[in-house]
Amino acid sequence: MDVDAYVAAHNAEWVRLEQLINSGRRLSGAEIDELVELYQRTATHLSVVRSSSPDPMLVARLSSLVARGRAAVAGARAPLWRDVSRLATVSFPAVAYRLRWWWLGNALLGNLLALALGIWVARNPEVQAAIVTPYQARELVERDFANYYTEHSAASFAFQVWINNAWVSAQALIFGILLGIPAVYVLVQNQLNLGIVGGLMFAHDKGDVFFGLILPHGLLELTAVYLAVAAGLKLGWTVVDPGPRRRGQALAEEGRAAMSVALGLVAVLLVSGLIEGFVTGWIHTTWLRIGIGVVAEAAFLAYVVVLGRRAVRRGETGDAELRPDLAPTSG
């Protein structure tokens, strides 16, 4: 093997790998992918050199580079608290802000669908009869709807709601890769349920009860669902149109951003579940219940706008980042 020719052919890759290993900043998701790929290539180069060349200097250089690359790829990670802090202050608000028009569009279209369905149900007794019997409708509007929030202890109900909403949001995210179709299904089903129940309540002059019990937790809960659906739709759209990126790279980046959404929504839905469990059915002053929901929603929107816009302006996308705490400087 011509050692000089081999070095000339691959030296740029080795230099780039060393630059990534020695970087003093966090690596972006694309740089992490590049680091792993270059590490694997360099390990192959080392194997070729060892079997074909007696050059000890080149073997030593590549051995050191591979060892340091292995440490960077699989070595010590940043402390958990640092990852959690970055997720809360950078990654999640960045991707939520970047997708703001997607989830605001979901909110607009979804609520128009629920409103149209609710009006249709409320104004047409034959539609109501096709959905439920008169007895079932009476039970729903006079007892079941309100009792739903108090028939279990607040703590257990909050936990149940949290798990259920997290699962609904996870479905929209996980199956977004299927061109976003399951995400649309989750959105439509959610809004159909909202419209039907609202229509039945208004048909029996219980509209004030409906909004008085839905709004406290529903504002934040529905926002979380709209954001989850937006992330699923964006992932699905990336399959169709990856833009200037390679499709595999684009899917990897959007997939990691979707994971930031999934983890961030765990906390958002926890807050929503706590409001539903401890506020909706247990605080009997309507304006106070709704006020708590409005404050929670306003706080979330301010959080996304302030931290998200700041992060996006710095070039953050919500993609995962990795930089090991320690990278060996010698083989």
Side-chain angles (χ1 to χ4, degrees):
M1 181 181 70
D2 187 336
V3 175
D4 292 337
Y6 196 79
V7 171
H10 299 291
N11 187 61
E13 296 173 276
W14 303 337
V15 171
R16 177 57 178 162
L17 175 59
E18 190 161 18
Q19 289 174 344
L20 291 172
I21 292 171
N22 293 334
S23 174
R25 57 180 176 78
R26 281 183 172 271
L27 300 182
S28 68
E31 289 173 326
I32 294 169
D33 292 339
E34 185 183 9
L35 171 64
V36 172
E37 183 178 355
L38 289 175
Y39 159 69
Q40 292 172 338
R41 287 185 189 176
T42 304
T44 301
H45 298 161
L46 174 60
S47 178
V48 171
V49 168
R50 277 176 170 166
S51 62
S52 306
S53 171
D55 188 335
M57 294 291 293
L58 182 56
V59 170
R61 177 190 177 189
L62 294 183
S63 295
S64 172
L65 195 54
V66 168
R68 295 164 61 198
R70 184 184 303 114
V73 170
R77 293 295 308 276
L80 178 61
W81 67 265
R82 189 180 301 169
D83 290 336
V84 172
S85 175
R86 176 174 173 76
L87 172 69
T89 60
V90 178
S91 301
F92 176 58
V95 69
Y97 184 79
R98 184 167 59 88
L99 296 179
R100 64 192 181 280
W101 299 120
W102 290 73
W103 54 273
L104 289 174
N106 289 337
L108 176 62
L109 296 177
N111 283 303
L112 285 177
L113 172 62
L115 177 62
L117 180 60
I119 293 173
W120 184 51
V121 171
R123 291 185 174 181
N124 293 276
E126 63 276 12
V127 174
Q128 300 166 31
I131 297 172
V132 293
T133 66
Y135 172 77
Q136 290 172 327
R138 188 166 55 253
E139 286 292 294
L140 171 68
V141 301
E142 294 181 0
R143 188 177 65 85
D144 292 348
F145 186 77
N147 288 352
Y148 170 75
Y149 299 100
T150 57
E151 60 187 357
H152 301 290
S153 70
S156 64
F157 181 63
F159 180 75
Q160 178 185 349
V161 167
W162 179 36
I163 296 300
N164 178 72
N165 291 334
W167 171 238
V168 170
S169 298
Q171 286 179 302
L173 282 164
I174 294 170
F175 297 110
I177 194 69
L178 302 176
L179 301 183
I181 295 173
V184 174
Y185 175 79
V186 168
L187 177 63
V188 170
Q189 284 294 111
N190 192 74
Q191 300 306 121
L192 290 180
N193 291 335
L194 187 65
I196 289 172
V197 174
L200 291 172
M201 294 291 289
F202 270 87
H204 292 81
D205 297 322
K206 296 288 185 178
D208 56 335
V209 176
F210 175 74
F211 281 120
L213 293 175
I214 282 291
L215 289 178
H217 63 277
L219 289 171
L220 190 59
E221 179 183 302
L222 288 172
T223 299
V225 172
Y226 298 144
L227 177 53
V229 170
L233 288 173
K234 185 64 168 67
L235 188 59
W237 182 248
T238 301
V239 177
V240 178
D241 180 15
R245 303 167 293 180
R246 299 191 311 273
R247 181 169 277 101
Q249 176 191 351
L251 284 173
E253 291 175 359
E254 292 300 334
R256 288 189 294 263
M259 287 306 301
S260 294
V261 172
L263 294 172
L265 288 183
V266 169
V268 176
L269 289 170
L270 174 60
V271 174
S272 171
L274 290 173
I275 293 174
E276 188 167 358
F278 290 90
V279 173
T280 300
W282 299 98
I283 292 181
H284 302 298
T285 305
T286 302
W287 68 264
L288 180 57
R289 286 199 309 270
I290 296 177
I292 291 172
V294 170
V295 168
E297 174 73 358
F300 176 72
L301 294 178
Y303 160 77
V304 169
V305 171
V306 174
L307 295 185
R309 181 167 57 190
R310 181 186 304 166
V312 168
R313 285 177 175 174
R314 295 201 308 265
E316 301 285 351
T317 64
D319 193 357
E321 293 190 347
L322 167 67
R323 179 174 63 83
D325 291 336
L326 299 173
T329 57
S330 62

